[in-house]
Amino acid sequence: MDLFNLEGKVAVITGSGKGIGKAIALGLADAGADVVVVARTQSDIDQTVLEIEQKGRKAIGISTDVKKKEEIERMVEQTLHTFGKIDILINNAGMNIRTPALEVSEEEWELIIQTNMKSVFLASQAVGKHMVEQKHGSIINISSVAGHVALRTGVAYAATKAGIIQMTKTLALEWGKYNVRVNAIAPWYFKTPLTEKLLTNKEYYDEVISRTPLRRVGDVKELVGPAVFLASDASSYVTGHTIFVDGGMSIYGF
Ligand SMILES: NC(=O)c1ccc[n+]([C@@H]2O[C@H](COP(=O)([O-])OP(=O)(O)OC[C@H]3O[C@@H](n4cnc5c(N)ncnc54)[C@H](OP(=O)(O)O)[C@@H]3O)[C@@H](O)[C@H]2O)c1
C-alpha cells in the first residue's frame, strides 16, 4: 500500500547494529527507505549496512556514541552531506544495568540516563532542527513498558523510559506546527542480546509469560509494523503518542 511506502525516504536509526534497532532498520529498508546505521561496534554496523544493501537500498554506517553531543552532530552533518535530508529518526540505542535502588552508584545512574534519555534529546534536537526547516519529519523514540508500569528493571532504566514518553509528548507539541511528528514505541520483552540471558532463566521467563495475555515474548520482526506505520504517511495525523507493543502486558491488572 502506498500509505506505508518509504521509497525516497532517509531514516537514521540509532542502535541499529543489533537487536531491535537492526530489525527495524531492515524492516524500513523493506518498505523502501535508505538507512543510516548508527552504533559503536564497527563489525555490527558493517553487517547491518551489508544486509540493507542486499535489499537494494542505500545504507551508510556512522560509528557514533549517542551519549556525546559532538558525535551526534557529526553524524547528522555526515548524513546530510551524503543524503541531503533526513525524513525519519528512530532513537533506539539503549542499555540497562539491573541494580537494586539502594546500590545504584552515581556513575551507573549517569551512564543509563545519558545512554537512554539524554541521547534521545540530543539526537532529536540535532535532527529536529533540520526537520523543522524542511517542514516534515517523523521521530520515533523507543521507550519500554517499564516507562509506564513498575517493573523490576531498575530505577534508572524506568526513569529514562518514562522520561522518553513525556519528551515525546513535549516535542510533538512544539514541532507539530512544522509538520514534524514525534511518537514512541514501548516494547515488552523481545529476545535480543540485551534480554537473552534474562529470558533463559526459566523461572523468570515463566513469570513474564504468565503476565502476558498473548502468552509469549515478542519477535523483533513484530516491531517493524508499528515502526513503518509511525514512520510513514499511514500515521500522518498521529503525534505525541506511545504505541505499546507488549502482547497486552500493560493492560494486565492482576
Ligand atoms: N529487548 C527488549 O525486550 C526491550 C524491551 C523494551 C525496550 N527495549 C529498548 O529497545 C532498545 C533496543 O534494545 P535491544 O534489546 O535491541 O538492545 P541490544 O540488543 O543491546 O542493542 C542495543 C543497540 O544500541 C547500541 N548502543 C548502545 N549504547 C550505545 C551508545 N552509547 N551509542 C551508540 N549506540 C549504542 C548498541 O550498539 P553498540 O554497543 O555497538 O554501540 C546496539 O546496537 C533499547 O532502547 C531498549 O531499552 C528493549
Side-chain angles (χ1 to χ4, degrees), residues 15 20 40-41 64-66 92 143 157 161 187-188 190 192-194:
I20 288 172
R40 293 165 302 179
T41 310
T64 309
D65 183 343
V66 295
N92 163 80
S143 174
Y157 184 82
K161 294 303 180 179
W188 174 226
F190 285 76
T192 68
L194 183 72

Side-chain angles (χ1 to χ4, degrees), residues 6-240:
L6 297 179
E7 259 169 61
K9 306 272 187 200
V10 176
V12 171
I13 307 174
T14 71
S16 43
K18 57 188 172 196
I20 288 172
K22 179 173 180 177
I24 291 177
L26 297 177
L28 261 62
D30 280 333
D34 295 327
V35 178
V36 180
V37 177
V38 175
R40 293 165 302 179
T41 310
Q42 196 60 48
S43 53
D44 288 347
I45 295 173
D46 292 345
Q47 183 59 32
T48 307
V49 166
L50 180 71
E51 290 177 40
I52 292 168
E53 286 173 343
Q54 283 167 348
K55 292 175 181 294
R57 304 295 166 200
K58 289 192 199 113
I60 58 167
I62 308 179
S63 175
T64 309
D65 183 343
V66 295
K67 298 194 295 300
K68 299 186 176 150
K69 186 176 161 74
E70 63 282 3
E71 292 199 22
I72 287 180
E73 286 175 347
R74 182 185 44 79
M75 178 275 289
V76 171
E77 260 173 47
Q78 207 176 319
T79 301
L80 292 174
H81 179 74
T82 306
F83 288 111
K85 62 169 186 164
I86 301 170
D87 302 291
I88 299 153
L89 166 66
I90 304 198
N91 285 309
N92 163 80
M95 46 83 65
N96 194 18
I97 306 167
R98 296 165 163 261
T99 309
L102 291 179
E103 291 157 34
V104 174
S105 66
E106 193 177 350
E107 291 71 30
E108 189 177 313
W109 174 267
E110 287 291 345
L111 176 66
I112 297 173
I113 299 290
Q114 286 185 23
T115 307
N116 292 6
M117 190 168 70
K118 181 180 155 195
S119 64
V120 173
F121 173 67
L122 291 176
S124 298
Q125 190 183 46
V127 175
K129 186 170 179 271
H130 160 74
M131 288 178 166
V132 161
E133 275 166 20
Q134 77 184 1
K135 295 222 167 25
H136 78 86
S138 174
I139 298 176
I140 302 166
N141 300 321
I142 306 302
S143 174
S144 164
V145 291
H148 180 63
V149 297
L151 300 176
R152 285 164 286 159
T153 51
V155 63
Y157 184 82
T160 62
K161 294 303 180 179
I164 286 174
I165 291 175
Q166 197 61 16
M167 203 189 314
T168 298
K169 294 181 200 173
T170 310
L171 295 179
L173 183 66
E174 280 200 29
W175 295 344
K177 59 179 177 288
Y178 304 110
N179 192 31
V180 175
R181 299 184 296 109
V182 188
N183 291 288
I185 291 174
W188 174 226
Y189 272 111
F190 285 76
K191 215 178 231 179
T192 68
L194 183 72
T195 56
E196 217 162 14
K197 208 168 148 208
L198 202 61
L199 293 174
T200 51
N201 176 332
K202 188 172 176 337
E203 205 181 317
Y204 189 80
Y205 180 82
D206 287 346
E207 202 183 338
V208 164
I209 296 307
S210 74
R211 287 164 188 264
T212 309
L214 287 182
R215 290 287 182 265
R216 60 181 178 83
V217 296
D219 182 312
V220 286
K221 290 192 181 117
E222 294 177 296
L223 287 160
V224 170
V228 170
F229 168 67
L230 290 175
S232 68
D233 287 346
S235 62
S236 54
Y237 199 51
V238 179
T239 196

